Amino acid sequence: MKDDTKLIAAGRPHPRHAHPVNTPVERASTILFPTYDDYLEGVKTINYGRLGTSTHRALEEAITALEGGFETRLAPSGLQACTAAILSFVGAGDHVLMTDAAYDPTRKFCENFLKRFNVDTTFYEPTATGEEISALMRPNTKVVFVESPGSLTFEVQDIKAISAAAHEGGAVVIADNTWSGGYFCKPIALGADVSIQAGTKYLAGHADCLIGSITSANEQAAKKIYYGLLQLGSNVSADDAYLTLRGMRTLGPRLRRHEESALDLVKWLSKRSEVASVIHPALKTCPGHTVWKQDFTGASGLFAAVLKPVPLAGLKAFFNALKLFGIGFSWGGFESLCVEVRPEKYRTVTPWKAEGPVIRFHAGLEDTDDLKNDLVNAFTAMGQAVK
Ligand SMILES: Cc1ncc(COP(=O)(O)O)c(C=O)c1O
């Protein structure tokens, strides 16, 4: 089946003589077993609320189908999907290779939390080749983490080459696949052992819930993730699982529209005199563009523009004049957003050298003529503020 069919057919209620189209919200702490035999059977599947009900199982089934994996487990946020996945594979004395373009809280988890447990992290250049990764591997390297493209600076990573190098050295590859929504990129097919998503973004798609998914490529990885989450005591609300599965039904058409609108805005912004450069994986100038062409079937709605240097008063006027673009973190909902980001504050291996401010845009589902008008007003206000 193609993705668009899987997104509709997977994780639906199991056949009964009549049933609703969507798997209903099933909230529970206690699960009751009618008989001792049912109890023995239930212990293997659904047995205690914290481990999920049929609502969670349905969502997991749908994400597994989309990602092309062996099994999916849910986490209460995208960040916990990242941290729990890493924790499931490391112990004291181990070493992690982490992309320098990682989502900042994932990075901080390594720098602060893992360090306290004597797990060392080396950050690596996001466009590293397989050989470069091999050179950084240590005998105790257990995890190579990729985020492709990086969600602030959009370098596309060679997951295939990185996976080969990691496996050669005995490490697993965990990929943050949030940007592609699991629709435009399949890290597991490229060699990753685990593909995680902040389902908060495109899977849920309506900016109203937080959730994470961890999809394992094989049974071995799935067992580690299962026990990792179990022992951390993770739980996801059935309502959020329901909302996410509901959102997934329209993932394909939404993502194609986000893609189209983002590309339209990229083209338009590239011609503005206020803009120094635009960073989007579909542009030849984007680091890793050739990998994107090879490994992705499309692009989502998140990208960045580097403005020419502008005084703070101008930047403030720009943001304050916006009516349609919301100023906010997170992304992947139906609405357009923009926010100033500061890659120079985070990176250590590949210093960020752009002179002007970096604005990260999320192209929502509004008409792009209206979005461009909103930006024209904002650029005009910026110009007036610094005249
Ligand atoms: C690439 C990426 N991964 C993970 C996360 C964390 O997701 P959540 O906000 O659901 O914890 C984010 C959030 O912005 C993100 O952009």
Side-chain angles (χ1 to χ4, degrees):
M1 276 196 280
K2 297 263 174 39
D3 277 351
D4 283 335
T5 315
K6 286 183 201 163
L7 284 164
I8 301 302
R12 291 272 290 275
H14 290 281
R16 284 188 278 150
H17 70 282
H19 57 79
V21 172
N22 289 324
T23 303
V25 178
E26 210 174 76
R27 300 155 174 267
S29 53
T30 307
I31 307 285
L32 292 176
F33 305 102
T35 65
Y36 187 76
D37 284 342
D38 291 321
Y39 157 76
L40 289 179
E41 199 46 42
V43 166
K44 293 185 221 142
T45 52
I46 291 173
N47 55 65
Y48 185 57
R50 198 175 58 236
L51 305 179
T53 62
S54 58
T55 317
H56 303 80
R57 293 293 100 78
L59 173 60
E60 289 164 353
E61 204 177 290
I63 298 175
T64 303
L66 179 68
E67 292 270 3
F70 172 79
E71 183 177 280
T72 298
R73 295 280 164 184
L74 302 174
S77 69
L79 179 58
Q80 215 214 28
C82 298
T83 57
I86 297 172
L87 276 179
S88 300
F89 290 97
V90 297
D94 287 340
H95 174 242
V96 171
L97 281 177
M98 171 63 64
T99 166
D100 203 30
Y103 175 60
D104 181 45
T106 308
R107 175 182 192 104
K108 293 232 169 69
F109 170 76
C110 296
E111 288 171 327
N112 303 325
F113 190 99
L114 286 185
K115 201 168 169 207
R116 288 201 278 125
F117 296 89
N118 193 25
V119 176
D120 247 8
T121 303
T122 303
F123 292 92
Y124 67 89
E125 148 83 57
T127 54
T129 60
E131 292 83 68
E132 285 162 340
I133 292 294
S134 295
L136 294 170
M137 293 287 293
R138 298 181 192 166
N140 58 343
T141 307
K142 292 286 161 51
V143 168
V144 180
F145 195 99
V146 302
E147 180 181 311
S148 182
S151 57
L152 293 186
T153 43
F154 303 97
E155 298 88 343
V156 185
Q157 299 198 250
D158 191 344
I159 297 178
K160 214 183 258 178
I162 292 173
S163 299
H167 293 159
E168 175 92 20
V172 295
V173 172
I174 302 175
D176 184 332
N177 193 26
T178 306
W179 186 84
S180 94
Y183 191 75
F184 291 133
C185 181
K186 311 288 178 187
I188 288 174
L190 295 170
D193 302 270
V194 175
S195 179
I196 73 105
Q197 282 195 63
T200 310
K201 319 292 182 207
Y202 286 122
L203 298 184
H206 292 73
D208 53 3
C209 80
L210 285 139
I211 199 162
S213 66
I214 311 178
T215 306
S216 302
N218 51 53
E219 192 173 2
Q220 214 182 349
K223 272 200 178 133
K224 296 226 179 216
I225 298 293
Y226 173 75
Y227 287 110
L229 285 167
L230 181 72
Q231 283 153 15
L232 285 167
S234 288
N235 170 251
V236 172
S237 106
D239 299 85
D240 289 344
Y242 176 87
L243 284 175
T244 306
L245 187 51
R246 193 181 207 267
M248 280 181 73
R249 301 303 181 197
T250 55
L251 182 70
R254 278 191 288 112
L255 272 178
R256 288 193 292 271
R257 175 65 184 267
H258 285 298
E259 171 178 47
E260 198 184 306
S261 296
L263 288 171
D264 190 9
L265 291 175
V266 161
K267 214 159 124 197
W268 184 85
L269 281 164
S270 303
K271 292 189 193 134
R272 291 290 310 190
S273 61
E274 300 87 348
V275 174
S277 63
V278 178
I279 323 170
H280 183 290
L283 296 177
K284 281 196 184 115
T285 47
C286 184
H289 165 74
T290 48
V291 179
W292 173 78
K293 262 177 59 182
Q294 193 181 290
D295 292 348
F296 286 66
T297 53
S300 66
L302 195 74
F303 65 96
V306 182
L307 300 189
K308 291 184 183 156
V310 56
L312 184 59
L315 200 60
K316 274 190 190 170
F318 173 87
F319 278 106
N320 290 339
L322 292 166
K323 296 262 182 300
L324 289 177
F325 281 90
I327 309 170
F329 294 109
S330 204
W331 44 279
F334 51 83
E335 80 291 11
S336 288
L337 293 166
C338 71
V339 71
E340 189 194 4
V341 293
R342 304 240 167 114
E344 70 277 10
K345 271 181 30 190
Y346 311 121
R347 303 173 75 112
T348 47
V349 189
T350 45
W352 184 254
K353 297 221 181 78
E355 284 172 12
V358 183
I359 302 193
R360 190 181 70 176
F361 289 92
H362 180 250
L365 306 178
E366 305 90 340
D367 190 293
T368 48
D369 285 344
D370 291 328
L371 292 176
K372 288 174 200 165
N373 284 337
D374 203 34
L375 292 173
V376 167
N377 290 340
F379 280 130
T380 305
M382 183 167 102
Q384 282 165 353
V386 296
K387 231 189 335 210

